[in-house]
Amino acid sequence: MRCFAFHHLLPPLRREAPLFLLAAALLGACRGAVAPSAQPPVPSRSVATSTTLGAMPAACGPVAGAVSASLASTPVTNPLVTFDSAWSIIGRTHWDTTYNGVNWAALRAELRPKAAAATTTGELRAVLSDMVARLKQSHFSIIPREIADASGSGSGSGANSAPDHSGSIGAEVRYLDGTIVIAQIDRDGPAARAGVRTGWRVQSVNGCPMSARLSRMPKEPDARREALTAYAIATQALAGAVGDSATVVFADERGRERTVRVARAPEPGAVAKFGNLPAMNAQLSFDRVTSAGKTVGIIRFNIWMPILSPQFDAAVDALRDADAIVLDVRGNFGGVGGMSMGIAGHFLDSTRTIGTMIQRGATLKFVANPRRVNTRAQGVSPYAGPLAIVVDELSISTTEIFAGGMQALGRAQVFGVQTSGQALPSVPERLPNGDILYHAIADFVNPFGKPLEGAGVTPDRVVPLTRQSLLAGRDPALDAAIAWAVSQKVRQ
């Protein structure tokens, strides 16, 4: 079973490689838009949108809107074969036979002539994205084949290759008070060496004002979607080829502008590829902190990919003697849904259901079994100490399934802000034209039947991130999680 959510990256917020690719696809998935590629992601339902939002400054380059810059203009053959395939796949796999109130047959009659009239790949993608947008549900998008097939190695070349965004300045951003702010800096990364500090606002990148990029965001009543859109725009602007430099103008704690030239370095972690989804960097780290005389283990990981499973197992083994454990999954865009069961088993002393996937005519319970053997094949008991989970508005999909299930079972306390509310189990399928139809196949509810789609996970303690805390070098949500953890009864 595959359950994905697309893409990003994060003060302990961890980052993924060309994460903007995953964020871009997730933006499409939550809006039913075509995933952007070469230009600032502007989620939309139509190719024409990119020409109706006003001119960008010349330094920002051409705007490709919601359609891939590399293949959008190529001629399309047999567009109806691709349209009919996409329509039929959703028609037979959508768990709700009312299609969320959409007359699926009537929609086919409306859009099929438009697909037949498409002469370019971009025009066909616009029709397909319009179709999936009508469902008004997360995890539906059209992923251009040039993005899906990107290796993530940064070595692509040729007219049909996705732009190289394998390099990073070594900093993570968040959208706070309408601006892009540096939320985390890699200790040994390029930004740190250049003197960049958390809490600094990003004013411009390579001469293009960040405000100009953000001004092209569509009006979004849901602040969580707005944050995801802004995140993808900023992340893409800062990414580039390894070794290339970015000239970034920041506003520091006193409002003074600081111009910094930062060379991009390779992302840490391992490149992972799953099925037809874009390649992405998978990263996991853990450490220990001491507070109030107790030891708290902190595990951070950016995506639910199988390559990280043995690393997580090893992290739990290394922290098994800690008084408490905190899982920091802020900015974790999801991944393989089945992993949530295996990870949960590290912290449950009996077989428990963390949620249920509801498909058309079938259900699948996500059952977590206690993990009673460590990485050295020795018998152990699941970790029984206090468990805290830190989330934010960019905690999506499998992350929500896990956090929501553990919270509902009373096994974990959740800190941070409300999660994204995009928790539909989904799969990617290759269409006849080579693009990927990313589509939800089920609803998902927590152990007590509460849907996660839309509402997401509400923390037990809401602790928002602020620019003031970042400027002071603090992490309020993580600090609150640690304070709670050390206040709990010590294990016997």
Side-chain angles (χ1 to χ4, degrees):
M1 194 285 300
R2 291 167 290 174
C3 171
F4 266 85
F6 269 7
H7 188 235
H8 115 98
L9 331 181
L10 308 211
L13 307 158
R14 238 5 256 173
R15 175 179 66 259
E16 301 89 284
L19 253 192
F20 90 87
L21 283 181
L22 198 38
L26 184 52
L27 283 170
C30 71
R31 294 177 169 277
V34 177
S37 67
Q39 300 298 326
V42 182
S44 70
R45 298 181 182 178
S46 165
V47 184
T49 301
S50 65
T51 64
T52 60
L53 294 176
M56 289 277 278
C60 299
V63 176
V67 181
S68 166
S70 55
L71 293 181
S73 62
T74 58
V76 65
T77 58
N78 300 321
L80 287 181
V81 174
T82 295
F83 177 86
D84 289 342
S85 176
W87 181 88
S88 297
I89 289 170
I90 295 174
R92 69 172 180 267
T93 62
H94 199 285
W95 66 99
D96 176 8
T97 54
T98 71
Y99 302 98
N100 203 30
V102 176
N103 186 324
W104 202 239
L107 184 61
R108 179 177 184 270
E110 174 192 343
L111 296 182
R112 198 169 190 271
K114 296 181 181 180
T119 60
T120 68
T121 297
E123 290 172 356
L124 177 59
R125 287 173 177 171
V127 176
L128 294 172
S129 65
D130 185 13
M131 178 178 69
V132 298
R134 302 291 184 93
L135 292 166
K136 293 182 171 61
Q137 293 172 315
S138 74
H139 290 72
F140 284 94
S141 68
I142 304 300
I143 304 173
R145 58 188 180 275
E146 57 270 32
I147 289 182
D149 295 340
S151 68
S153 64
S155 60
S157 61
N160 294 339
S161 297
D164 183 355
H165 287 84
S166 59
S168 164
I169 68 167
E172 187 52 55
V173 301
R174 278 296 183 272
Y175 184 60
L176 299 176
D177 300 322
T179 63
I180 297 299
V181 175
I182 299 297
Q184 178 260 332
I185 297 175
D186 288 348
R187 187 177 306 167
D188 301 316
R193 292 194 295 271
V196 179
R197 298 290 182 265
T198 58
W200 284 12
R201 289 195 178 106
V202 180
Q203 303 290 80
S204 68
V205 180
N206 292 332
C208 177
M210 188 59 67
S211 59
R213 296 180 185 271
L214 297 178
S215 69
R216 299 184 60 83
M217 294 194 300
K219 292 186 180 300
E220 178 56 74
D222 190 328
R224 297 171 298 175
R225 303 293 187 272
E226 184 178 49
L228 177 60
T229 305
Y231 173 86
I233 289 172
T235 299
Q236 184 174 3
L238 291 167
V242 172
D244 286 355
S245 294
T247 300
V248 187
V249 178
F250 297 96
D252 67 13
E253 65 280 3
R254 297 183 180 179
R256 298 173 301 185
E257 288 198 346
R258 294 174 176 256
T259 300
V260 180
R261 189 164 179 81
V262 188
R264 298 182 177 99
E267 285 278 0
V271 176
K273 189 88 166 68
F274 189 87
N276 292 320
L277 294 169
M280 59 207 80
N281 269 41
Q283 306 167 27
L284 182 148
S285 64
F286 68 92
D287 55 18
R288 293 168 176 260
V289 298
T290 300
S291 178
K294 295 182 180 179
T295 299
V296 179
I298 303 173
I299 304 176
R300 306 179 179 96
F301 61 107
N302 70 338
I303 198 160
W304 298 78
M305 292 292 280
I307 195 172
L308 294 183
S309 289
Q311 295 183 40
F312 192 93
D313 297 345
V316 172
D317 280 352
L319 299 173
R320 204 172 290 279
D321 62 342
D323 294 302
I325 288 180
V326 175
L327 302 182
D328 188 347
V329 287
R330 290 172 291 183
N332 186 316
F333 278 25
V336 180
M339 278 185 64
S340 61
M341 294 177 274
I343 299 300
H346 280 295
F347 306 100
L348 297 171
D349 61 1
S350 62
T351 299
R352 304 292 297 274
T353 297
I354 63 172
T356 302
M357 189 172 86
I358 304 172
Q359 295 178 274
R360 186 184 298 186
T363 60
L364 176 64
K365 292 186 179 297
F366 276 36
V367 178
N369 292 304
R371 304 286 293 271
R372 301 194 183 281
V373 178
N374 66 15
T375 55
R376 296 179 295 280
Q378 299 169 330
V380 295
S381 296
Y383 182 81
L387 177 66
I389 302 174
V390 186
V391 300
D392 68 2
E393 68 277 7
L394 299 188
S395 298
I396 301 173
S397 194
T398 303
T399 306
E400 298 180 276
I401 288 172
F402 173 80
M406 298 297 278
Q407 180 190 51
L409 293 175
R411 180 59 186 93
Q413 286 279 302
V414 179
F415 297 81
V417 296
Q418 185 181 20
T419 63
S420 183
Q422 300 182 64
L424 298 178
S426 318
V427 296
E429 294 194 43
R430 182 80 64 172
L431 295 173
N433 74 334
D435 287 347
I436 302 301
L437 171 64
Y438 185 61
H439 64 106
I441 59 171
D443 197 3
F444 197 91
V445 298
N446 78 3
F448 301 105
K450 178 183 177 181
L452 293 173
E453 179 73 5
V457 178
T458 300
D460 297 287
R461 181 175 173 187
V462 176
V463 189
L465 184 66
T466 67
R467 184 177 184 233
Q468 291 69 29
S469 62
L470 289 171
L471 289 170
R474 294 185 290 104
D475 185 344
L478 182 61
D479 292 345
I482 293 172
W484 170 84
V486 299
S487 72
Q488 302 305 294
K489 184 178 180 180
V490 177
R491 292 178 297 159
Q492 300 300 318

